[in-house]
Amino acid sequence: MSLLEIRQLSAHARLGLWRIDEHPAGAPREREHYAVNRLLLAMTGDETLTIGHAPSGKPFLQSLSNPSSALSQLHISISHTKGYAVLLLSETSEVGVDIEYRSDRVERIASRFIRPDEQVETTMQKLLLWSAKETIYKLFSEDNLYFYDMRERGVANDILRMENIRREKIVEVHFEVSDDYVLTYAF
């Protein structure tokens, strides 16, 4: 397993990407959990931080030694896919991140998340929209959004404009496409 990068996205937000390229003992979920914890340590330098989960499933940070630590107050979003783990941290705002390995499996579920007023045709466009909606779902976790509660409102310069219809709020979702994965994030 190896750290690919830690990137400063803004004055208050950082993204870390980890390649799960070795196969230590354990099930895939255990390897993903291990990768996320290694990434958290690489990004914060704090061995006492752990990741907890609210009843909703939303992750949060907690410090084993200092519950009031500034690091335990960071906003966090996590995603993993075949071979990769990603972590997004922000000091000031909610965040959302998603990573999906490139394949055509999204075709099987496209009708469940694409609204009739969204114009997506190619498998890549569908995968990008799926990932962006996962990111918005995490960003607005308290809204408990359904896929039809989110709508794509335009694409330009590696940014998808996504609308949370319930709030009538448009958010910029940044995206990257590599040979292996699609990555989306918002903060």
Side-chain angles (χ1 to χ4, degrees):
M1 297 193 184
S2 56
L3 176 66
L4 291 177
E5 72 173 309
I6 297 173
R7 184 185 326 160
Q8 195 75 36
L9 301 176
S10 73
H12 303 287
R14 293 189 312 148
L15 181 136
L17 182 62
W18 192 274
R19 171 122 178 123
I20 306 171
D21 51 9
E22 295 176 10
H23 302 285
R29 286 287 180 207
E30 291 171 338
R31 290 193 300 271
E32 291 166 352
H33 180 75
Y34 176 79
V36 166
N37 282 305
R38 297 286 298 165
L39 189 51
L40 178 62
L41 177 59
M43 291 178 74
T44 65
D46 188 337
E47 294 179 350
T48 70
L49 281 180
T50 62
I51 299 170
H53 290 87
S56 66
K58 181 179 178 171
F60 62 88
L61 294 177
Q62 52 194 4
S63 175
L64 298 175
S65 64
N66 182 4
S68 61
S69 160
L71 290 175
S72 67
Q73 305 305 311
L74 292 172
H75 299 274
I76 181 174
S77 186
I78 301 167
S79 186
H80 31 72
T81 193
K82 182 178 176 182
Y84 295 91
V86 65
L87 185 62
L88 182 56
L89 300 173
S90 172
E91 298 170 9
T92 59
S93 63
E94 293 293 337
V95 292
V97 68
D98 189 60
I99 190 166
E100 301 288 339
Y101 73 92
R102 290 181 62 170
S103 78
D104 64 354
R105 74 193 189 288
V106 72
E107 294 289 346
R108 294 188 301 270
I109 61 168
S111 64
R112 293 187 215 157
F113 71 90
I114 298 174
R115 295 170 47 93
D117 56 351
E118 292 174 316
Q119 301 301 311
V120 292
E121 297 172 7
T122 68
T123 299
M124 180 52 67
Q125 289 172 330
K126 292 172 187 174
L127 184 59
L128 190 55
L129 182 60
W130 168 261
S131 187
K133 286 189 176 189
E134 285 284 325
T135 294
I136 293 298
Y137 177 82
K138 292 174 182 180
L139 183 68
F140 294 103
S141 61
E142 68 278 1
D143 290 359
N144 197 26
L145 296 171
Y146 294 100
F147 288 115
Y148 277 65
D149 294 330
M150 300 172 260
R151 176 175 37 217
E152 185 264 322
R153 303 295 281 182
V155 181
N157 301 323
D158 300 330
I159 294 175
L160 266 165
R161 295 179 66 239
M162 296 294 297
E163 181 181 9
N164 175 338
I165 295 170
R166 288 189 191 171
R167 290 191 186 199
E168 298 180 349
K169 181 171 178 71
I170 295 178
V171 175
E172 291 185 345
V173 176
H174 302 264
F175 69 88
E176 300 172 18
V177 177
S178 81
D179 291 340
D180 296 330
Y181 59 82
V182 168
L183 171 67
T184 58
Y185 58 90
F187 54 95

